[in-house]
Amino acid sequence: MTTTGTQPTPTPDEGPLGTGDHAAERAALLADPALGGVERRTALAALTDRWLTGLYRAAGSPPGTALVAVGGYGRGELSPRSDLDVLLLHEGPLDDELAERIWYPVWDSGAALDHSVRTPAEARAVAAEDLKAQLGLLDARHLAGDPALTAALRSTVLADWRTGAPARLPELHELCTARAERHGELSFLLEPDLKEARGGLRDVVALNAIAATWLADAPRDGLDAAAERLADVRDALHLATGRATERLSLQDQDQVAAQLGVLDADTLLRQVYESARTVAYASDVTWRSVERVLAARSNRGRRIARLGFPFSGVGRTGGAVGKGAVERRPLAEGVVEQDGEAVLAQGARPATDPVLPLRAAAAAAQAGLTVSYATVRRLAAEAKPLPVPWPDEAREQLVTLLGAGEACLPVWEALEAEGVISRLLPDWERVRCRPQRNAVHRWTVDRHLIETAVKAAAMTRRVARPDLLLVAALLHDIGKGWPGDHSEAGEVIIRDLAVRMGFDKTDTDTLALLVRHHLTLVDTATRRDPDDPATVDLITKVVGTLPHLELLHALTEADATATGPAAWSSWRASLVHGLVARAAAQLAGGLVLPVDAEPTADEERLAVEAARTLAPALALHAQTEAGAGGVAEPGVPEPMGVELTLAIPDQPGLLGTVAGVLALHRLTVRKAGLRELDPIGAGPVLLLSWTVAAEYGELPEAARLRADLRRALDGSLDVARKLAERDAAAPKRRGIATPPPVVTVAPGAVSLSATVLEVRAHDAPGLLHRIGRALDAAGVRVRTAHVSTLGADAVDAFYVTDPDGRPLAAGRAAQVARSVQEALG
């Protein structure tokens, strides 16, 4: 015999919930100011237990039956308007009226009842077909009758759950994903569903179910407190509204805050958001663990099947018996990939490497991975604070992390969950989980900031300083949470933060301008006449230069598109674009490219040596945080990189050849310069100045690097072939989508003696080698070059001429630019 059913929840107009002594006791319990939270939920469940037990006994309590609480009631978690999930379990024949004698008094009381009548075999069969029913039975708790009957059911259902976990957990994950798509993320909704949204109480139930499989468990730090807080808010919502609602509507938030003794509705939402993020992060970590365990189980099963042995299942550890050494692939210094996550290398020492948290995060994001839970925990516990101002590498790694776009999000969330972000950027705590009571905004303040950086990452080819764009995007609303205009407050904060992060005065002023005026373009374009010369003058006076205008335009678009669809309509976009075009025309000619400094005495000595010997002359020395040739900071055991200066009589393909040798040695070019000198009047000598760092591992020996450079220059080392062989042999690793490279011809006024090609591209091993080969193949000479790597982006300028030393004709210059862009793919 199987029956099941529910009764509709009464509305507040239908009178108090409960009748008789139970109703009075229940009303007194809910009105008791001394009871709240877990204590009240437990007391309410105990009171309901006594009531239902009395009804069961009054109905006859025949042998071979048991009354069982399941689901939330089974866990003893009864909110004021929770459904009562009850199972009447029986063996053999059952009097049809028994169930009615129990259910009808409950219905008469007005309680919402979810009931069923089943044999153990029927309950087990339903659980096998209905995942939600199985989850409810995992929390079965005996109320009355035959306890052995309940114990046997619990044991059987739990055994079935563990045995079927490899099939059931993917199904559970699909349910959780579909629910999140329907209800959104609790952490960002102004009217969140406390139960169904991602990070809500349903996810807590799922985490407990996963733990019951013994295959994986959630990170427990803070999880119980977060779940308890969400349940407390749900209780207060039930009491404030008198309804069985899970949605924290705007009109109810003040009442709920008052019920909980919270300062105001914004404080309430921040607490809800913080709890939801804890649950959501625990869910992400746990589901990744489940995926790894099930993959290992599947691989092990295939290996055993090939050997002809029966498969015996997965033990509590979830490990694979006989599994060989775990494969670890290097990502960056101190960081490797393992099982689809970024983890610390065996020799990594967070206590002596304060940049390691940012380096690990940047490497993970650029590889399309996340940082493992254990690694983030270790970094949070052991890594020392960054010195102030930050080392250059720390700033570059932050920019590299932000430049990963969408791949940055899970990494950022992991760092934020363990408090790493707030330690890096103390002002972040004010905007963290701060709600925005504006229908236009989709996100909390902090999530809007990182979403803006994600949008800006797709626009880095539009600006000459992608690093400043990304940092401004991350911090443009950092003034929210302070009194007054958030743009004005943000300007003050960003100046302090920029100095803390090691930006110089010029860059600090640029960041301050961007934060102070991040709303100026859209406000002016939509409120002023764009055809009025005074409107254009207003904008040009604000930005001052064309590069500033480009940065502000990109930031404006990134900010608006990250806010929500209503903030960046085609109409607004066209108005802003039109205003920017007029201002750009007025600022035309403001393009500024790097200017060569006078050669140093050492550079002149090398150039003279190369001119006299007609052979390359090289100099190498380590660069530390104290600067070139300085003394390293205490606790930094390795030099930051190498400064290489090479003087050589001009010859075709020089730039690409030298860059290829550096790529062979896995040296990343952070900065490079090339210029032409004639020190003794015997012919041109090219002087190349490089700042390079090891991609990972130690720097190569100077003698070996010098020998390979000489071999490459005399043709005995085929650099292009060696790089191609290495790339072909390297295992393919999933990467991230990046904006395509952009190669443009600068206006003719920039240089009268050469054509200037600007290359903006995603930095990658061998990038400069490919550019050099493309320019050589195009038959042009590179007279001067300025190469900069800003985070994950390369911004390069090449002054090129024809073989006779003249600037290129317009059509020829465009053709060369296309050739370089094609070579970069």
Side-chain angles (χ1 to χ4, degrees), residues 653-664 667 669 672 690 712 717-727 763-777 782 787 794 796 798 820 823-824:
L654 181 63
L655 177 64
T657 299
V658 177
V661 172
L662 299 180
L664 276 178
L667 291 173
V669 178
W690 308 76
L717 174 62
D718 189 338
V719 175
R721 182 175 62 83
K722 287 288 187 182
L723 285 172
E725 289 174 353
R726 190 181 71 183
D727 290 345
D763 189 35
L767 174 67
L768 193 54
H769 171 67
R770 295 198 300 276
I771 295 174
R773 284 175 57 85
L775 291 173
D776 187 42
V782 180
V787 175
D796 306 337
F798 301 91
V820 174
L824 299 182

Side-chain angles (χ1 to χ4, degrees), residues 482-506:
W482 290 85
D485 186 318
H486 77 277
S487 298
E488 295 177 359
E491 180 184 6
V492 175
I493 295 169
I494 193 65
R495 286 188 178 278
D496 179 65
L497 278 175
V499 172
R500 177 187 182 90
M501 296 165 71
F503 285 103
D504 62 24
K505 183 181 185 307
T506 300

Side-chain angles (χ1 to χ4, degrees), residues 376-461:
V376 179
R377 295 273 294 173
R378 184 181 170 194
L379 290 170
E382 298 181 19
K384 290 183 178 179
L386 284 169
V388 177
W390 289 8
D392 289 348
E393 186 197 359
R395 189 171 61 255
E396 291 168 0
Q397 296 295 353
L398 174 64
V399 172
T400 301
L401 169 62
L402 299 175
E406 291 284 349
C408 167
L409 289 174
V411 177
W412 188 271
E413 289 173 350
L415 296 180
E416 192 173 54
E418 298 300 332
V420 176
I421 298 300
S422 294
R423 286 199 290 276
L424 289 170
L425 306 170
D427 294 279
W428 191 260
E429 197 59 33
R430 273 188 175 265
V431 297
R432 184 173 181 270
C433 294
R434 179 172 292 278
Q436 303 200 77
R437 294 185 177 277
N438 185 323
V440 173
H441 278 278
R442 299 173 55 194
W443 310 107
T444 54
V445 177
D446 60 333
R447 182 55 181 262
H448 168 69
L449 291 176
I450 190 63
E451 288 284 344
T452 303
V454 168
K455 299 294 186 184
M459 304 175 188
T460 51
R461 304 295 175 265

Side-chain angles (χ1 to χ4, degrees), residues 25-41 43 239 258-261:
E25 291 179 22
R26 187 178 184 284
L29 186 153
L30 295 179
D32 185 352
L35 283 178
V38 174
E39 186 179 9
R40 180 171 57 203
R41 288 188 291 276
L239 291 172
Q259 183 79 33
L260 292 170

Side-chain angles (χ1 to χ4, degrees), residues 721-803:
R721 182 175 62 83
K722 287 288 187 182
L723 285 172
E725 289 174 353
R726 190 181 71 183
D727 290 345
K732 300 301 180 184
R733 178 188 290 125
R734 64 175 178 172
I736 59 172
T738 59
V742 174
V743 182
T744 57
V745 181
V750 172
S751 174
L752 299 178
S753 60
T755 297
V756 181
L757 295 181
E758 288 189 287
V759 180
R760 299 174 183 177
H762 183 76
D763 189 35
L767 174 67
L768 193 54
H769 171 67
R770 295 198 300 276
I771 295 174
R773 284 175 57 85
L775 291 173
D776 187 42
V780 298
R781 292 179 58 206
V782 180
R783 288 185 44 194
T784 305
H786 297 277
V787 175
S788 298
T789 304
L790 304 169
D793 293 296
V795 181
D796 306 337
F798 301 91
Y799 288 68
V800 300
T801 67
D802 64 17

Side-chain angles (χ1 to χ4, degrees), residues 104-172:
Y104 271 103
V106 178
W107 290 330
D108 291 341
S109 75
L113 178 66
D114 190 343
H115 62 88
S116 57
V117 181
R118 297 187 177 111
T119 66
E122 290 169 341
R124 186 181 183 189
V126 169
E129 295 294 327
D130 186 342
L131 178 58
K132 293 180 180 179
Q134 188 171 36
L135 294 176
L137 288 173
L138 289 176
D139 295 310
R141 179 170 60 85
H142 183 71
L143 295 178
D146 185 352
L149 200 58
T150 304
L153 177 65
R154 279 181 52 84
S155 177
T156 301
V157 169
L158 188 55
D160 289 346
W161 175 243
R162 287 173 179 157
T163 301
R168 275 293 162 104
L169 287 180
E171 185 181 352
L172 177 59

Side-chain angles (χ1 to χ4, degrees), residues 536-537 539-550 579-592:
V536 178
D537 286 343
I539 296 300
T540 57
K541 288 177 181 177
V542 165
V543 298
T545 67
L546 188 59
H548 284 169
L549 179 64
E550 291 176 345
L579 178 59
V580 168
R582 291 178 178 87
Q586 190 163 311
L587 293 168
L591 179 64
V592 178

